Amino acid sequence: MVSVIIPSLGGDLSKTLNSLNSGTVKPDEIIICLPNDRHSINNLDKYRNITVIYSNKYGQVFQRICGFKAARNDLILQIDDDVIVSINCLKLLVDTMKNSKEKISVSPCWYNSSDKFPLHQKKQKNIVMLFYYWIINGSKGYVSGELSLAGTNFGVNPLDISEDLFCVDWQPGGCVLHDKNNIIFDDYYPYTGKAFYEDLMHSFLLRKSSVGLVVNMRATCMTDITPRVSLGKDIYLDIRARKYFVKLANLSVIRMYIFYVIYILRSILLSITR
């Protein structure tokens, strides 16, 4: 039996809810956690396995934790309200969890909902990119599923991976299956507002508590590509959150700042050439 936790601000969640309720394993409990009763979900009356709770506080991490605490089952899927899972995604994640002899959290492979291509780029081998990988991660360069010394994250592209199960340093927070015994119930995100890099922080804390992070490459989900962070207020919030994570994980602040110099220069160049 599986509980699903969805932190949300409300609105139309039908694509996510329909995909969860159409799979080969159907959750018996879906908990949507809203900040307060001023937010609501459209057309909930057609679903029988959904409960709405209120956290009385804004924040994706805090809302999700409120859902974790309310869940009845031992297996708990955290998922964002804009993610669509494939028909056998939840079954594959559950089977992976049940067959593991170690403490793990398991996530699917991600695809872009607009073109069905992998969400994360495969490793690039041209000289410019190899030099860039060296700048942010030293001699190791690009390593699928790992964190760089600059506190950036390398994604998992199926073209780079041959195994069905692949161990990683981090998991996108939009879709992860946990054992309730391994869940972190503390509100680990230190800021208000949008939770930049909370998935990196969460992944770090899980690994610190001896939970392995695994991707089942045959399980798939889809979402839209997140747009580049703008050079307005968001870039400050982005840098602030990543710096907090870099210090938390004892990575390189200097490499992080070099990454942002490159990022800002590239963003300016892209805006000029459009």
Side-chain angles (χ1 to χ4, degrees):
M1 305 292 274
V2 180
S3 297
V4 174
I5 309 301
I6 308 177
S8 180
L9 294 177
D12 184 4
L13 277 60
S14 59
K15 290 182 179 179
T16 297
L17 297 175
N18 289 343
S19 72
L20 287 167
N21 281 315
S22 301
T24 51
V25 167
K26 179 179 175 181
D28 64 309
E29 175 183 58
I30 298 176
I31 299 173
I32 302 173
C33 188
L34 302 175
N36 51 56
D37 60 8
R38 293 192 296 274
H39 299 261
S40 61
I41 308 297
N42 299 346
N43 302 316
L44 270 187
D45 53 341
K46 68 177 182 177
Y47 305 102
R48 296 186 177 181
N49 58 346
I50 293 177
T51 302
V52 175
I53 65 174
Y54 303 103
S55 64
N56 296 314
K57 176 180 172 181
Y58 286 87
Q60 182 184 36
V61 173
F62 186 82
Q63 290 172 232
R64 184 187 296 144
I65 290 170
C66 288
F68 285 158
K69 291 178 178 178
R72 298 194 308 261
N73 296 306
D74 290 333
L75 292 182
I76 303 177
L77 181 77
Q78 67 175 66
I79 189 170
D80 287 350
D81 64 5
D82 58 353
V83 174
I84 301 170
V85 295
S86 63
I87 191 168
N88 63 346
C89 178
L90 190 52
K91 182 181 187 305
L92 289 166
L93 298 183
V94 168
D95 287 347
T96 302
M97 186 74 77
K98 289 183 175 180
N99 292 331
S100 177
K101 297 179 181 179
E102 308 293 334
K103 294 196 305 181
I104 63 168
S105 291
V106 59
S107 57
C109 193
W110 286 78
Y111 288 80
N112 182 359
S113 57
S114 62
D115 59 18
K116 309 304 186 289
F117 288 170
L119 197 63
H120 299 111
Q121 289 187 341
K122 66 187 297 290
K123 179 179 179 179
Q124 300 180 53
K125 299 181 180 179
N126 61 74
I127 293 177
V128 173
M129 288 307 299
L130 290 175
F131 180 64
Y132 171 74
Y133 298 148
W134 176 81
I135 288 174
I136 64 172
N137 203 34
S139 59
K140 290 184 71 175
Y142 183 105
V143 185
S144 295
E146 289 195 6
L147 297 168
S148 76
L149 295 172
T152 61
N153 44 303
F154 299 120
V156 175
N157 184 296
L159 297 176
D160 291 328
I161 308 300
S162 57
E163 308 97 297
D164 284 344
L165 300 179
F166 185 65
C167 294
V168 294
D169 283 348
W170 73 283
Q171 293 169 318
C175 188
V176 186
L177 183 67
H178 303 280
D179 184 313
K180 191 172 187 177
N181 294 318
N182 304 330
I183 281 178
I184 295 168
F185 290 102
D186 297 325
D187 186 2
Y188 53 84
Y189 193 75
Y191 308 114
T192 58
K194 183 179 178 181
F196 289 88
Y197 309 117
E198 65 84 11
D199 49 359
L200 303 189
M201 299 174 196
H202 192 210
S203 296
F204 173 79
L205 294 172
L206 285 171
R207 291 200 303 127
K208 190 175 179 180
S209 62
S210 301
V211 177
L213 309 183
V214 175
V215 176
N216 186 316
M217 300 300 298
R218 295 190 297 127
T220 62
C221 67
M222 295 189 301
T223 193
D224 294 326
I225 290 180
T226 303
R228 288 173 62 86
V229 177
S230 66
L231 297 186
K233 180 183 178 182
D234 277 358
I235 192 66
Y236 164 74
L237 300 176
D238 189 282
I239 294 172
R240 181 183 66 171
R242 196 188 300 272
K243 185 177 180 180
Y244 175 86
F245 169 69
V246 165
K247 290 186 174 182
L248 178 71
N250 197 28
L251 300 171
S252 172
V253 175
I254 293 175
R255 288 184 188 270
M256 185 205 76
Y257 281 131
I258 294 173
F259 161 78
Y260 276 110
V261 168
I262 296 171
Y263 181 91
I264 291 169
L265 290 175
R266 184 167 182 262
S267 296
I268 292 172
L269 181 62
L270 286 172
S271 66
I272 293 173
T273 55
R274 280 174 184 167

